[in-house]
Amino acid sequence: MSDKSILDLLKSTTDRRRFLRDGGVAALAVGVAGACKPQAAKSAAATTIQPAGQTGGTMGPHDTAAGTATASADAMDAMHEKGIKAFPAKTAGTGNQLMQPKLDKGVKVFELTAKKIQWETEPGRTVEAWSYNDQVPGPQIRVREGDRVRVILHNQLPESTAIHFHGLELPNAMDGVPFITQPPVKPGQSFTYEFVVPNAGSHMYHSHHNSAKQVGLGLLGAFIVEPREKTSYDNADVDEVFILNDGMHGYTFNGKSFPATQPIVAKLGQKLRIRFMNEGMMIHPMHLHGMHMTVIAKDGWPVPAPWKCDTLNVAPGERWDVMVNCNNKGTWAFHCHILPHAESEHGMFGMVTAVIVNDR
Amino acid sequence: MSDKSILDLLKSTTDRRRFLRDGGVAALAVGVAGACKPQAAKSAAATTIQPAGQTGGTMGPHDTAAGTATASADAMDAMHEKGIKAFPAKTAGTGNQLMQPKLDKGVKVFELTAKKIQWETEPGRTVEAWSYNDQVPGPQIRVREGDRVRVILHNQLPESTAIHFHGLELPNAMDGVPFITQPPVKPGQSFTYEFVVPNAGSHMYHSHHNSAKQVGLGLLGAFIVEPREKTSYDNADVDEVFILNDGMHGYTFNGKSFPATQPIVAKLGQKLRIRFMNEGMMIHPMHLHGMHMTVIAKDGWPVPAPWKCDTLNVAPGERWDVMVNCNNKGTWAFHCHILPHAESEHGMFGMVTAVIVNDR
Amino acid sequence: MSDKSILDLLKSTTDRRRFLRDGGVAALAVGVAGACKPQAAKSAAATTIQPAGQTGGTMGPHDTAAGTATASADAMDAMHEKGIKAFPAKTAGTGNQLMQPKLDKGVKVFELTAKKIQWETEPGRTVEAWSYNDQVPGPQIRVREGDRVRVILHNQLPESTAIHFHGLELPNAMDGVPFITQPPVKPGQSFTYEFVVPNAGSHMYHSHHNSAKQVGLGLLGAFIVEPREKTSYDNADVDEVFILNDGMHGYTFNGKSFPATQPIVAKLGQKLRIRFMNEGMMIHPMHLHGMHMTVIAKDGWPVPAPWKCDTLNVAPGERWDVMVNCNNKGTWAFHCHILPHAESEHGMFGMVTAVIVNDR
C-alpha cells in the first residue's frame, strides 16, 4: 500500500487544514484494526464546534442514545477511511505512458507488441491482461495532423489480432478489420500499418478481432492527434487522457481501480483538459465535484457550441473532450455516477479518483 | 385504490368524450373480476362505428372466429385497465415537498433529519426507506443565487452519512465527501453546512457516504437555485421537478411508482418546465406523447442553443431542464421508453405518468 | 447460406484487390472444415512482403515458435471468416419495405395487419415474431407533412393491441394508448386511425399495449414524414432507415442479425442519410469506420447546430438523423460499439453491418 497518501499530497491545501485539525487526522489513525473501538477519541475532536463559515462545516453534539449504531458505523467508516487513506495507491505497472516514436526518414514509427501479462489493477488484485508493450491501456500515441505514421504490430498472443484506429479516417486497407480490410495477424506474425494522419482529435486504437474479449482484456490505447492549427484548447496547462473501462478487469480509469487510480493535479487558475474515452461495455456518466466541465469536442470533432455540465455521460466507443477552469481549490471527488461502479458498503472502489487543485 | 381516478380528472376534456361514449366506460366497468366474461357488452359499444375524423378513431367489426383469443385478451386488458383506472392512486407520504426555510439573520436555514422510515411506493407496496424529513425524495430546497444557506443535517440513521450538494460549486469543506472534505457524520450526530449559493440551476443533494445504498434507499432531494436574473424560462406557468430512480424501491418518479405517480396538470397554452434528475443506476429515456420538449439546460447550465426532442435520455447524476408548450389538449402518456421499466403483461407500472393538458 | 458474398459485392473495389492478391482469397477458401489444417498455404501468401503505402499494410515473417497457438488461432479465425464470407446472408423475409398507400379521396390509406409469424433473423435462426404485414420491422410508412393519412389496424394477434405514432403530435384520440386515448383493439377487431400529419421527421409507429412484449416481438416500424419545404438533407443520394433492436430476437438492425444484416451501399461522393431508431431496451452507440457522421436531427427535429461524431449513442425511443459524406472508398464496418452486441469468440454477430463506398 502506498505511503504517499492523498493527505501528503494535500498538506499544502489550506482548505483541508481545518478538517485535519478538527478530527480528520485522528480519524485517519484508526484504520481497520480499530474498527470495533468506540469512537471516543474521534468524537472528542469531531464534536469541537467551530464557527460555521464559507470554508468549514460544524459537527454538532452526539445523541447519546446512539451508541450501538455508532460502533457499527465506526466499523464501516474505518473501511471507507482506509480506502481514502490509501489513495493514490501504488501498484505495479503504469498504463497510458506517452510513447516516443522512432523516426525513419520522417516517418514516426511506433512498435506495439501484443502479449499476455499479469496486471495489478489495485493493491493485491492482479489479473490476466492482454497488453500492448506491457501496459494497460497501451502506450499513448500522440502525433500531429498530417504526420506520416507507421505502427508495427507484433502479435505474441495465443490468438490472431489486428489494430483498428478508432476515429481516424484512414484508407480502407489500414482500417484493421480482419477478413474485411486485412488478414488476421496470426500468433507470431507482425503487421505494419502506415498512413498519413488525416484528422485531428482524441482517438483510440484497439483490437478489432475477437474484440469483446481482446479489448476487454486490455488491447486498447489512446491515439491523440494534435491539430495542424492549434486553438486555445490545445494549450491547456494540464492535458489528461482518461480511459474508462469495465468488465473483466473491474471498473477502471486508465487500467487502475480506486484507490490505485491516479488523481489529476492542477494549480489554481490553470486550464485542465480531460479527454474521456470509453473502452467498456457500459455507459459511465462522469461527475466532477466543485467545478463544471465545458464540452469542447465529440469524437475528436470540435462541438459547434461548447456546453457546460458537471456530469458527462460517456458511452462505449465515444470520446468527449472537456475543459475545466481550475478555479476552486481543494480535493474534488471525480467519479462515475452509477454509484455501484464507485462505492460499496466497504468504501469507494472502481471508478473513483480526484481532481486536486492546489495553491498556485 | 384511489377514488379520484384519471377519468374524474378528465371529465371536462372533450377529446375524451367520444371514447367514453363509445365503450370506454363500459370497458372500465368490467375490472379484474370480470376478466373471463365474454366481451359481448363491450363489443356492442366498441363496434359502434363512428365517422373517423381528426379527433376520434374507428373500431371495426369483430372477426367472429376470434372468440377464445378474445376471452384471454379480455383478462389481460382488465388488468391493464385496472392500473389506468387507479391512476393517480393515493399512497401514504409525499416526497419532494417544497420546504420553507427558517430565517436566521438573513441566512436561510434548512434542517434535514435523516432517518429510516417505511415508504409506500404504490398502493400496497411498502418498503424500507432512508429519508430526509420522512420524505422520498427529501424536501425540495429552492433558493436564489447568492443566498446564504445553512443546511443542518441530523443523523438518526444506523450508519454514518454526509450530504453532497451535487452541482453546486461550493468551497471544498462544504462538498460533503467523508474523509476527503469532512469527517463522516456519525449516528446521533449533527453537521452544519453553510455557504453562499454560487451557481443557479437544477441541482440535487444526496448522501455521499455508502452512497450506492443510501441514495438507493432515498437519501436524495432537489436543490433548485433560481438565477439572480430571471429569463423567460423562469416564469414558466408550471414548474415541475422530476426525480427518476430505480433499484431498491423499484422504478419511481419522485418516489412513487405507477399508478401512484402524480400527473403533471397544465392548461392549454401554458408553458411547462420539467426539471429531470436521475438519482438511479440506469439511463431513463423519458418520452412525452403529443408534444415535444425543448431542452434549455444541462446540469443547471443553459444550453447554448436549445434543441427539441420527444425522448430525452437522462443518465445517472444528470439534470436536464426542458420546456413544453402545452398546445395539445388531452391526457398524454409520459414514461421511460425502456419498456420493461414501464409495462408488463399485467399492465403499466413503474416509470409511467401523464401530462394532462386541460381546457383553458 | 448466401452465394452472394461480400466479396462479390466488392469485386470492383480496388482497395480490396491487394488483400485478395496477398492471401485473402486463399484464406477465404479454408473455411471451417479446414480449421485444424496448418496454415502453410496461407502463410505463403500472407507473408509476401509488400511495400507499405497509403493503401496496404505489410505482414511480417512468422515467429516459427508459435505453431500451436497458430493452429488454435486458425480454428477461431475460420469461424470469424465464415461469418464475414456469408455477409450479406440471405434469409426469408425482408422488413421495413416501403409501403405504397392506397388513395381514397386524397387520403393516403395504409392497412396494417398484426399477426404472429415465424421470422428468420439470421440463416438457420427462426423465431416467433409479432408483425405488421408479415414484416419485422413493419412496412415503412413515408408521407409528407400535411398529408391526410388513414392507418387501418387489423388485429389477428391472440392479444389486444393498439398503435402509437411515436413522435407525431396527433390529436389525443389518435395517440394509441389503450384506456387513456382509446379502447384496446381486441383480437379479431380493426381500428382506424386518421389524421393530418402535423410534424416532419423520422418517427416510428409501434404497439402501446403490453408493449415490452409486443414491441420486443416486432410490432414496430418507421413512420417517415418528409417536410413540406425540403432542405438539402432531404435530397440525400441514399436515405436509409436503421432500426435497432435487442431482446427476444437478439441484436438486430432492421430485424436481422449479422451476417443477415444488409449493407448500405453508396458511390464515392454521394451523400448518405441514416435515420437511426432504437426500438430496444438498451443503448446502442453506433460506430462507423472510415468516415464521420454529421448529426442533423433529433427525434425528427433539426438540431440547431449540426455536430460531428463517429460513435452515436442511440437510446431506446430516440431517433437521430445523420449525414455521411461518402468520401472514403471501401467496405467500412458499421456496428454497435458495445462489443458484446457485435462479436464473440465465434465471430461477428448481431449488430454489425457495413457501409460500402464503391467507385463512382
Side-chain angles (χ1 to χ4, degrees), chain A residues 6-60:
Chain A
I6 191 171
L7 291 175
D8 296 326
L9 259 176
L10 294 175
K11 58 191 167 193
S12 65
T13 308
T14 53
D15 279 355
R16 258 195 103 71
R17 283 189 201 137
R18 178 192 309 270
F19 164 43
L20 301 182
R21 198 173 60 228
D22 289 2
V25 166
L28 289 170
V30 174
V32 156
C36 296
K37 185 179 156 191
Q39 66 159 17
K42 273 181 292 169
S43 302
T47 55
T48 303
I49 296 174
Q50 298 285 333
Q54 275 296 97
T55 57
T58 311
M59 188 71 82

Side-chain angles (χ1 to χ4, degrees), chain B residues 50-69:
Chain B
Q50 296 286 332
Q54 274 297 97
T55 56
T58 311
M59 188 72 82
H62 265 268
D63 172 350
T64 51
T68 313

Side-chain angles (χ1 to χ4, degrees), chain A residues 271-317:
Chain A
K271 306 293 182 194
L272 163 64
R273 179 178 187 153
I274 305 173
R275 302 169 187 263
F276 294 105
M277 307 182 171
N278 188 336
E279 285 281 19
M281 302 175 285
M282 307 170 187
I283 59 151
H284 298 292
M286 289 296 305
H287 176 51
L288 176 60
H289 288 218
M291 296 168 294
H292 58 273
M293 305 182 276
T294 301
V295 174
I296 59 165
K298 169 74 172 88
D299 298 347
W301 299 99
V303 298
W307 48 276
K308 296 174 183 179
C309 66
D310 55 58
T311 307
L312 182 65
N313 187 20
V314 186

Side-chain angles (χ1 to χ4, degrees), chain B residues 248-329:
Chain B
M248 286 172 280
H249 293 170
Y251 298 110
T252 58
F253 293 154
N254 292 335
K256 302 286 176 176
S257 298
F258 185 88
T261 48
Q262 294 303 300
I264 294 174
V265 182
K267 288 196 170 67
L268 197 62
Q270 285 191 322
K271 307 292 182 197
L272 163 64
R273 179 178 188 154
I274 305 173
R275 302 168 188 262
F276 294 106
M277 306 181 172
N278 188 337
E279 284 281 19
M281 301 174 286
M282 306 170 187
I283 60 151
H284 298 292
M286 289 296 305
H287 175 53
L288 176 60
H289 289 218
M291 296 168 292
H292 59 273
M293 306 182 274
T294 301
V295 174
I296 59 165
K298 167 75 172 86
D299 297 347
W301 299 101
V303 298
W307 48 275
K308 297 174 182 178
C309 65
D310 55 58
T311 307
L312 183 64
N313 187 19
V314 187
E318 288 190 324
R319 289 91 62 213
W320 290 95
D321 285 31
V322 304
M323 297 296 297
V324 178
N325 181 9
C326 296
N327 62 359
N328 204 357
K329 202 169 49 175

Side-chain angles (χ1 to χ4, degrees), chain A residues 100-326:
Chain A
Q100 293 304 329
K102 290 175 196 160
L103 279 176
D104 178 12
K105 297 173 193 161
V107 181
K108 291 184 176 172
V109 181
F110 299 89
E111 292 205 48
L112 297 175
T113 300
K115 61 185 273 211
K116 201 188 283 196
I117 61 168
Q118 292 295 304
W119 185 252
E120 194 179 19
T121 60
E122 63 186 74
R125 182 164 186 249
T126 296
V127 296
E128 178 181 324
W130 291 20
S131 71
Y132 295 118
N133 297 7
D134 301 325
Q135 297 178 37
V136 181
Q140 183 183 130
I141 294 177
R142 193 177 272 258
V143 296
R144 195 146 171 264
E145 197 182 351
D147 279 353
R148 188 169 191 92
V149 166
R150 187 179 304 147
V151 176
I152 307 170
L153 166 65
H154 303 291
N155 182 8
Q156 297 184 7
L157 298 168
E159 288 180 9
S160 296
T161 192
I163 294 179
H164 170 56
F165 300 90
H166 180 109
L168 293 182
E169 306 194 344
L170 300 180
N172 197 249
M174 297 291 102
D175 195 46
V177 184
F179 301 116
I180 294 183
T181 69
Q182 68 167 81
V185 184
K186 301 279 181 186
Q189 282 186 338
S190 296
F191 192 87
T192 298
Y193 300 90
E194 187 166 332
F195 47 83
V196 173
V197 176
N199 54 312
S202 299
H203 304 300
M204 308 192 289
Y205 64 95
H206 53 221
S207 168
H208 210 289
H209 189 64
N210 196 18
S211 58
K213 175 181 172 187
Q214 293 193 2
V215 176
L217 283 170
L219 290 173
L220 59 98
F223 197 110
I224 310 294
V225 182
E226 288 166 2
R228 209 177 262 116
E229 297 187 19
K230 287 197 172 189
T231 70
S232 63
Y233 301 134
D234 298 301
N235 294 313
D237 300 298
V238 182
D239 183 334
E240 297 275 346
V241 167
F242 219 78
I243 301 181
L244 317 175
N245 214 340
D246 46 57
M248 286 172 279
H249 292 171
Y251 298 110
T252 57
F253 294 154
N254 292 336
K256 301 287 175 173
S257 299
F258 185 87
T261 49
Q262 294 303 300
I264 295 173
V265 182
K267 288 198 172 67
L268 197 62
Q270 285 190 323
K271 306 293 182 194
L272 163 64
R273 179 178 187 153
I274 305 173
R275 302 169 187 263
F276 294 105
M277 307 182 171
N278 188 336
E279 285 281 19
M281 302 175 285
M282 307 170 187
I283 59 151
H284 298 292
M286 289 296 305
H287 176 51
L288 176 60
H289 288 218
M291 296 168 294
H292 58 273
M293 305 182 276
T294 301
V295 174
I296 59 165
K298 169 74 172 88
D299 298 347
W301 299 99
V303 298
W307 48 276
K308 296 174 183 179
C309 66
D310 55 58
T311 307
L312 182 65
N313 187 20
V314 186
E318 289 190 325
R319 289 91 62 215
W320 289 95
D321 286 30
V322 304
M323 296 296 298
V324 179
N325 181 9
C326 296

